Amino acid sequence: MGTIKHHLNDALLMAYSAGALPEAFDLVVATHISLCDECRARLEAFDTLGGVVLEACAEVSMSDTSLEATLALIAAQDTGSEIIAEPAKASTGIFPKPLQDYVGGDLDAVNWKALGGGVRQAVLPTTRDASVRLLHIPAGMKMPDHGHHGTELTLVLQGAFEDEDGYFARGDVEIADEDMNHTPVAAEGEDCICLAATDARLRFNRLLPRMAQPFMGI
Ligand code: ZN
Ligand code: ZN
């Protein structure tokens, strides 16, 4: 790979590692990680450290809880249907393996709905705490300028787009929060296909690093 320039941040990787993200965000994170060796390596570090830290925070006090007990607690709580970040080589087609598994196929398995102007979207079924959709934007098309009520994660699967924050091609993920207004424009040459998750309520970008600070010495 090596060409990915826009990555997941530590807050997202920690939260993914701890199983604290909505399913919609798990899907985007797992799909990015399946394309990105760098984030997969960072995730492995959080899997050994971050999960324990976050669970310890949630348990309020670590003083009377041994490490073994904390780990047992994590193991016991880890019951959800996990979206596994497998390497991309397991996949054929445009969708990396976690997304293929989620959709039940590749592009032709998607039930697209026209939004006008050649833009199509497919809202994927997920839990109610966030939403996730596929977007198909014609090459060269400018999207409306918009802000965000929560966090928006956009992962490029085909083609590219550009906005005030940079140029995003396959594998790149843009993290937009409510402080950001942007006007994405699909690059010329190839239609842009993205996977986008939005969450209007959680503020994990701010909350999680603050929770982890005293434990990680940062
Ligand atoms: Zn990455
Ligand atoms: Zn946006």
Side-chain angles (χ1 to χ4, degrees):
M1 300 295 143
T3 57
I4 295 175
K5 292 192 172 59
H6 300 275
H7 296 276
L8 298 164
N9 60 28
D10 284 347
L12 282 165
L13 286 169
M14 269 193 275
Y16 176 82
S17 173
L21 290 177
E23 184 185 64
F25 284 77
D26 274 351
L27 179 61
V28 179
V29 169
T31 303
H32 174 83
I33 286 169
S34 75
L35 295 170
C36 182
D37 293 338
E38 184 181 320
C39 285
R40 193 179 314 118
R42 286 162 63 208
L43 175 67
E44 280 164 15
F46 285 126
D47 279 345
T48 55
L49 174 66
V52 176
V53 170
L54 287 171
E55 288 293 338
C57 291
E59 287 302 302
V60 179
S61 168
M62 199 161 181
S63 57
D64 54 3
T65 309
S66 70
L67 179 62
E68 285 89 335
T70 304
L71 289 170
L73 190 70
I74 294 167
Q77 288 178 343
D78 192 32
T79 52
S81 59
E82 208 173 335
I83 297 169
I84 306 293
E86 294 175 63
K89 35 187 166 303
S91 160
T92 56
I94 287 171
F95 291 173
K97 185 77 164 51
L99 182 57
Q100 269 192 7
D101 290 347
Y102 199 86
V103 170
D106 207 72
L107 271 186
D108 46 9
V110 176
N111 185 21
W112 295 103
K113 298 257 190 318
L115 287 185
V119 178
R120 291 183 286 162
Q121 79 166 1
V123 177
L124 304 179
T126 187
T127 50
R128 293 179 60 184
D129 46 3
S131 66
V132 63
R133 62 194 171 140
L134 285 158
L135 279 166
H136 183 134
I137 303 154
M141 170 164 276
K142 183 177 177 177
M143 300 298 284
D145 172 46
H146 64 280
H148 307 94
H149 293 297
T151 297
E152 179 187 74
L153 280 189
T154 307
L155 172 67
V156 179
L157 302 167
Q158 177 192 288
F161 72 84
E162 189 161 22
D163 68 9
E164 292 82 343
D165 218 30
Y167 182 86
F168 297 82
R170 177 169 166 87
D172 284 326
V173 62
E174 177 170 55
I175 304 166
D177 64 22
E178 58 201 306
D179 301 326
M180 184 196 195
N181 259 70
H182 64 160
T183 314
V185 181
E188 298 290 347
E190 195 176 19
D191 288 355
C192 182
I193 297 172
C194 296
L195 177 69
T198 53
D199 179 343
R201 290 183 303 150
L202 281 184
R203 298 282 184 269
F204 50 83
N205 265 330
R206 284 158 203 187
L207 181 63
L208 285 177
R210 211 167 59 220
M211 283 168 62
Q213 268 170 18
F215 294 89
M216 302 182 76
I218 53 176

